[in-house]
Amino acid sequence: MKIVVLDGYTLNPGDISWSGLEEHGELTVYDRTPADKIVERIGNAEIIFTNKTPLTRETFDRCPEIRFVGVLATGYNVVDTEYAKSRGIPVTNIPTYGTAAVAQFAFALLLELCHHVGAHSDSVHKGDWTKCPDFCYWNYPLVELAGKTFGIIGFGRIGQAAARIAQAMGMKVLAYDQFFDPKLENDGLKYARLDELFAGSDVISLHCPLFPSTQGIINKTNIAKMKDGVMIINTSRGPLVVEQDLAEALNSGKVAGAALDVVSTEPIGSGNVLLKAQNCIITPHIAWAPRESRNRLMNIAVDNLKAFLSGSPVNVVNL
């Protein structure tokens, strides 16, 4: 059986093993695959893994041997899942592998906004502390989180993990989700309507999927409902934010700081307005990427293939 990974570099730049897939067939791994090489590289392979390389209706028609598609991510919009279904091809994804990593990274971003550790370290290395007449200095306002309110939009596994960290740091939590589970509430964690969350939160962290109902949820109208000096964290999906509106709010001071691991178009374009916005930290979509998390992703991908080969596929997104 021939197995092809179309774009394996992001998952595995060389620090984890493909051996779990190699056990099940003749494996070929490409670091990246340009659009004009997709059909050629799939050839007569039966098992295809992709991360961000698109698999369209035309690709399925030109590669009739495909029996299984494994998406090496949670999101699967790169695959024409409905057409794959019509061809009897299951498409699987990787759920839950990055819960701890993404929640941790959300707080790495928040703590950087609160303390600007990197900027202060750079300042020391440039000699600013050596020249300072005082025993200490700070170049940015420093923010203590204890006692503040952490608003979470999207209260699934990652949102709940972020809530536990927030509470451990002495923060109160407001959670918004379309599904309400009263068992999750406690003295320091309450569900709230979206407008209540906007009005009551000192920090707002996005952990919701990208749906038509959530696209652009951080926009001029909703920012106006927020506290002056709110901080916004996004480790979910870039299009949740109307970037021009956020940039204007940052530059006016309405939003004290934003820290984003995702943007509307990735890689980020040189003209993205957030690159020049005040107090805006941007990282290159790496919340999911610790080695531990990528190992879990790899293991789930292998398990998805094993389940398919045994006749009982799991994590199928196009049933």
Side-chain angles (χ1 to χ4, degrees):
M1 185 169 60
K2 292 185 178 180
I3 305 170
V4 171
V5 179
L6 291 170
D7 51 356
Y9 185 83
T10 305
L11 169 59
N12 181 16
D15 57 348
I16 59 178
S17 173
W18 294 106
S19 61
L21 295 181
E22 289 172 332
E23 293 175 4
H24 298 282
E26 178 188 333
L27 177 67
T28 303
V29 178
Y30 297 99
D31 285 347
R32 303 165 191 87
T33 295
D36 62 351
K37 295 289 186 181
I38 294 172
V39 171
E40 175 188 329
R41 289 183 174 181
I42 291 174
N44 62 352
E46 299 162 278
I47 307 299
I48 307 301
F49 286 93
T50 181
N51 189 329
K52 298 294 182 287
T53 301
L55 295 177
T56 64
R57 181 189 187 108
E58 179 186 5
T59 301
F60 285 114
D61 285 342
R62 295 178 64 187
C63 301
E65 300 302 317
I66 297 176
R67 296 172 51 207
F68 169 90
V69 172
V71 181
L72 298 171
T74 303
Y76 49 87
N77 58 306
V78 297
V79 180
D80 188 335
T81 55
E82 287 304 307
Y83 191 63
K85 180 179 179 179
S86 74
R87 297 281 298 263
I89 302 168
V91 179
T92 64
N93 75 334
I94 314 289
T96 73
Y97 71 93
T99 300
V102 176
Q104 174 182 310
F105 197 83
F107 274 85
L109 292 174
L110 177 56
L111 290 171
E112 184 64 17
L113 282 179
C114 290
H115 299 291
H116 295 275
V117 172
H120 283 106
S121 177
D122 289 344
S123 173
V124 169
H125 282 88
K126 287 191 300 184
D128 294 344
W129 197 14
T130 303
K131 302 169 188 174
C132 183
D134 304 307
F135 77 96
C136 72
Y137 65 93
W138 51 93
N139 294 332
Y140 300 86
L142 304 177
V143 178
E144 182 179 281
L145 292 173
K148 289 184 169 55
T149 298
F150 188 73
I152 301 173
I153 299 177
F155 206 52
R157 291 183 181 90
I158 297 174
Q160 291 169 35
R164 291 191 291 272
I165 299 172
Q167 289 191 287
M169 299 184 74
M171 303 185 78
K172 300 174 183 177
V173 174
L174 293 177
Y176 170 80
D177 197 279
Q178 65 181 111
F179 301 106
F180 178 86
D181 185 353
K183 297 190 297 295
L184 297 176
E185 289 192 315
N186 55 51
D187 289 343
L189 190 161
K190 302 294 181 186
Y191 280 94
R193 297 192 308 273
L194 194 56
D195 284 355
E196 291 176 329
L197 186 147
F198 287 143
S201 299
D202 300 291
V203 179
I204 294 174
S205 191
L206 302 178
H207 298 287
C208 55
L210 178 62
F211 294 135
S213 59
T214 58
Q215 183 167 351
I217 198 169
I218 302 301
N219 57 47
K220 185 175 296 186
T221 299
N222 287 336
I223 290 171
K225 301 172 185 176
M226 299 175 191
K227 291 183 177 182
D228 292 346
V230 67
M231 292 183 281
I232 296 174
I233 310 295
N234 188 10
T235 54
S236 187
R237 292 291 182 264
L240 297 172
V241 174
V242 179
E243 292 171 340
Q244 181 65 46
D245 292 356
L246 178 57
E248 291 174 3
L250 286 162
N251 291 334
S252 72
K254 170 66 177 182
V255 174
L260 316 168
D261 188 48
V262 289
V263 292
S264 58
T265 299
E266 297 175 352
I268 193 169
S270 60
N272 189 301
V273 293
L274 293 170
L275 289 170
K276 295 183 178 179
Q278 296 180 22
N279 301 320
C280 187
I281 296 168
I282 305 173
T283 52
H285 202 145
I286 54 173
W288 68 281
R291 184 178 180 187
E292 296 87 346
S293 179
R294 289 184 290 109
N295 264 319
R296 281 192 295 273
L297 193 161
M298 181 75 80
N299 292 337
I300 296 170
V302 172
D303 289 343
N304 285 349
L305 177 56
K306 288 180 179 178
F308 165 73
L309 294 175
S310 72
S312 301
V314 296
N315 296 322
V316 179
V317 299
N318 64 336
L319 288 172

Coordinates of all heavy atoms in Angstrom, one line a residue, residues 117-130 137 139:
V117 N 8.5 40.9 28.8 CA 9.8 40.2 29.2 C 10.8 40.3 28.1 O 12.0 40.7 28.4 CB 9.5 38.8 29.6 CG1 10.8 38.1 29.9 CG2 8.6 38.7 30.9
G118 N 10.4 40.0 26.9 CA 11.4 40.1 25.8 C 11.9 41.4 25.6 O 13.2 41.6 25.4
A119 N 11.1 42.5 25.6 CA 11.6 43.8 25.4 C 12.5 44.3 26.5 O 13.5 44.9 26.2 CB 10.4 44.8 25.2
H120 N 12.2 43.9 27.7 CA 13.0 44.3 28.8 C 14.4 43.6 28.8 O 15.4 44.1 29.1 CB 12.3 44.1 30.2 CG 11.3 45.1 30.5 ND1 10.0 44.9 30.4 CD2 11.5 46.4 30.9 CE1 9.3 46.0 30.7 NE2 10.2 46.9 31.0
S121 N 14.3 42.3 28.4 CA 15.6 41.6 28.2 C 16.5 42.2 27.1 O 17.7 42.4 27.3 CB 15.3 40.1 27.9 OG 16.5 39.4 27.7
D122 N 15.8 42.6 26.0 CA 16.6 43.2 24.9 C 17.2 44.5 25.4 O 18.4 44.8 25.1 CB 15.7 43.5 23.7 CG 15.3 42.2 23.0 OD1 15.9 41.2 23.2 OD2 14.3 42.3 22.2
S123 N 16.5 45.3 26.2 CA 16.9 46.5 26.8 C 18.2 46.3 27.6 O 19.2 47.0 27.6 CB 15.8 47.2 27.6 OG 16.3 48.4 28.2
V124 N 18.1 45.3 28.5 CA 19.3 45.0 29.3 C 20.5 44.6 28.5 O 21.6 45.1 28.7 CB 18.9 43.8 30.3 CG1 20.2 43.3 31.0 CG2 17.9 44.3 31.3
H125 N 20.3 43.8 27.5 CA 21.4 43.4 26.6 C 22.0 44.5 25.8 O 23.2 44.5 25.5 CB 21.0 42.2 25.7 CG 20.9 40.9 26.3 ND1 19.8 40.4 27.0 CD2 21.8 39.9 26.5 CE1 20.0 39.2 27.5 NE2 21.3 38.9 27.2
K126 N 21.2 45.6 25.6 CA 21.7 46.7 24.9 C 22.5 47.7 25.8 O 23.1 48.6 25.4 CB 20.5 47.5 24.3 CG 19.9 46.9 23.0 CD 19.0 47.8 22.3 CE 17.8 48.3 23.2 NZ 16.9 49.1 22.5
G127 N 22.5 47.3 27.1 CA 23.2 48.1 28.1 C 22.4 49.2 28.8 O 23.0 49.9 29.6
D128 N 21.1 49.2 28.7 CA 20.3 50.2 29.4 C 20.4 50.1 30.9 O 20.4 51.1 31.6 CB 18.9 50.1 28.9 CG 18.7 50.5 27.4 OD1 19.6 51.1 26.9 OD2 17.6 50.1 26.8
W129 N 20.4 48.8 31.4 CA 20.5 48.7 32.8 C 21.8 49.1 33.4 O 21.9 49.7 34.4 CB 20.1 47.2 33.2 CG 19.7 47.0 34.6 CD1 19.4 48.0 35.6 CD2 19.7 45.8 35.3 NE1 19.1 47.4 36.8 CE2 19.2 46.0 36.6 CE3 19.9 44.4 34.9 CZ2 19.1 45.0 37.6 CZ3 19.7 43.4 35.9 CH2 19.3 43.7 37.2
T130 N 22.9 48.8 32.6 CA 24.2 49.1 33.1 C 24.3 50.7 33.2 O 25.0 51.1 34.1 CB 25.2 48.6 32.0 OG1 25.1 47.2 31.8 CG2 26.6 49.0 32.4
Y137 N 14.3 49.6 36.4 CA 13.4 50.5 35.6 C 12.5 49.6 34.8 O 12.7 48.4 34.7 CB 14.3 51.3 34.6 CG 15.0 50.4 33.6 CD1 14.5 50.2 32.3 CD2 16.3 49.9 33.9 CE1 15.1 49.4 31.4 CE2 16.9 49.1 33.0 CZ 16.4 48.8 31.7 OH 17.0 48.0 30.8
N139 N 10.1 49.8 31.0 CA 9.9 50.6 29.8 C 8.4 50.6 29.4 O 8.0 51.2 28.5 CB 10.7 50.1 28.6 CG 12.2 50.3 28.9 OD1 12.6 51.3 29.6 ND2 13.0 49.5 28.3

